[in-house]
Structure formats: C-alpha cells, structure tokens
Amino acid sequence: MESGKISIVALSDKREQLQMAGMIASVGAVSGHEVLVFLSMNALRYFVKGSKARAPSEGPMGELMEQKKVMPFQDLFAHAVDLGGAKIHPCSMAVDVLGVQPSDLEPYLGEPMGLTQFLDESAGGQVWSF
Amino acid sequence: MADRKVIDARGSFCPGPLMELIAAMKMVQVGDEIEILSSDKGSAGEIPQWLKKVGHEHLGTAEESGVWHIMVRRSK
C-alpha cells in the first residue's frame, strides 16, 4: 500500500474548514498515511473538554451539514486517532494564550507542540492548512 | 461459511460509513464478511476504493431503494 506523510494545520473556527480537515485526517489515517494534525488559533477552543462552542458556518453547506447531522468534525479527529493512529497536537502558543492546561483538552490530543517540532515532523510530506 | 456482520450506516454521510466499517473490521476475524448499509452514494464509491487501497476484498455492491449494500471480506 502506497502511503506517505500528511500534516494538517487547523486554524479556522469555521465548520466547513474544520470538517474538511477532519475528513482528510480520518481518511488519510485509516488509509495508511502517517497523519499529524496541529491545532492552533481559532480552532483550538473546540477541543476543550466539555466545550459547547458551536463552529459557525461560512456558507450554506455548513448549514446543511448541521441540519443533516453530518458527523461532527471532533468525531472525525477522534476516529483519525482511534482507528488510524493519527497524532493530534495543540499548538503550545495557542494553549498558553487560551489559558488552558493540556488536561483541559480532549483526551485524544497529544501534548502541546511548538512550531519548531511541527516543522521538523512535517518536513518532506504533504501539508494542508485549514 | 464465514460469519457476516451487518452494519447499518444509513443516514450517515461520508466518511461516516467508512469509519463505521473500519471500526467493525477491528472486531471481526480475518476471513469474516461485513455487509454495510449506506444511504450515501459517495460512500458507495469511496468504500470500494479504500478496500482496494488497503487490501481487503470487495465482494460486491447492490443498490436497493436508495440504500447501497456493500459486501466486504476482511483479508488480513
């Protein structure tokens, strides 16, 4: 099976952006790719345990996805880890600015990661940004 | 005859049915069969492609009243 490395930078707070990031992470991971997700900026708050924050839609597709109860992006990221062995790390800067502890984040997230490590680990593979 | 497990993923959109199939794959033995029901046409195309990529067997797909029955055998 041909495989490679896929790194995803998730920054947006928009439903469609995060849904696509979760789709690539989950399908990539279960298809034999080595998947690394870096959660930063406005995306991170959706991964705080117990968060009731609702990702706003950027357009009609986001509204339709909500109406039709498409699998939430958080579940896709969890599947990427559980079923495909993906690694998902919060950005250390975003953790600090948001004022949360690593233990406040969803348990399928790894330890906070800095940019130096992310850039090193993503080198040589596909990098997607949402 | 191999056991066949039926997974009802109707109402779930891509990649939900694929994720449900993979979760089920981890629970069955090599050689066992799974039939996944999907009302999502995209998944009816996506799942056979995934099977081919990762090396499991696609036994066939049948569509009935807007529901795709995708038959799979775990091969490894």
Side-chain angles (χ1 to χ4, degrees), chain A:
Chain A
M1 178 171 59
E2 188 178 338
S3 60
K5 190 188 303 181
I6 296 175
S7 298
I8 298 170
V9 184
L11 318 164
S12 176
D13 69 340
K14 297 296 189 292
R15 176 186 306 275
E16 292 92 330
Q17 297 282 331
L18 295 171
Q19 191 76 20
M20 197 70 232
M23 289 167 69
I24 290 178
S26 57
V27 175
V30 301
S31 299
H33 294 275
E34 181 185 338
V35 172
L36 170 64
V37 180
F38 188 66
L39 296 174
S40 190
M41 303 298 175
N42 297 313
L44 185 58
R45 66 191 179 118
Y46 301 114
F47 297 88
V48 174
K49 280 189 281 197
S51 170
K52 292 188 167 44
R54 171 186 172 275
S57 301
E58 19 176 52
M61 182 59 79
E63 299 296 334
L64 276 173
M65 287 195 302
E66 186 168 19
Q67 288 169 21
K68 296 194 173 186
K69 302 193 184 307
V70 172
M71 182 179 286
F73 60 81
Q74 292 95 334
D75 291 358
L76 291 172
F77 284 112
H79 283 318
V81 174
D82 294 341
L83 301 177
K87 294 191 300 179
I88 303 180
H89 292 274
C91 164
S92 55
M93 179 280 285
V95 168
D96 290 343
V97 172
L98 200 58
V100 294
Q101 298 297 316
S103 58
D104 296 328
L105 299 171
E106 291 289 357
Y108 55 84
L109 268 59
E111 289 297 309
M113 178 180 280
L115 263 180
T116 302
Q117 186 180 352
F118 174 74
L119 292 172
D120 186 49
E121 292 201 13
S122 62
Q126 301 179 49
V127 180
W128 298 74
S129 178
F130 295 93

Side-chain angles (χ1 to χ4, degrees), chain B residues 6-64:
Chain B
V6 177
I7 305 296
D8 188 351
R10 288 175 295 178
S12 180
F13 293 91
C14 182
L18 175 61
M19 295 299 133
E20 292 194 42
L21 170 63
I22 294 166
M25 280 276 201
K26 292 180 180 288
M27 306 297 289
V28 302
Q29 303 297 314
V30 172
D32 285 350
E33 297 178 4
I34 297 174
E35 177 177 351
I36 183 154
L37 311 185
S38 175
S39 52
D40 177 51
K41 188 176 182 180
S43 293
E46 177 82 357
I47 287 173
Q49 288 189 0
W50 179 82
L51 294 167
K52 183 178 179 185
K53 179 170 176 61
V54 302
H56 294 297
E57 192 174 352
H58 178 213
L59 301 173
T61 299
E63 189 266 334
E64 187 177 344

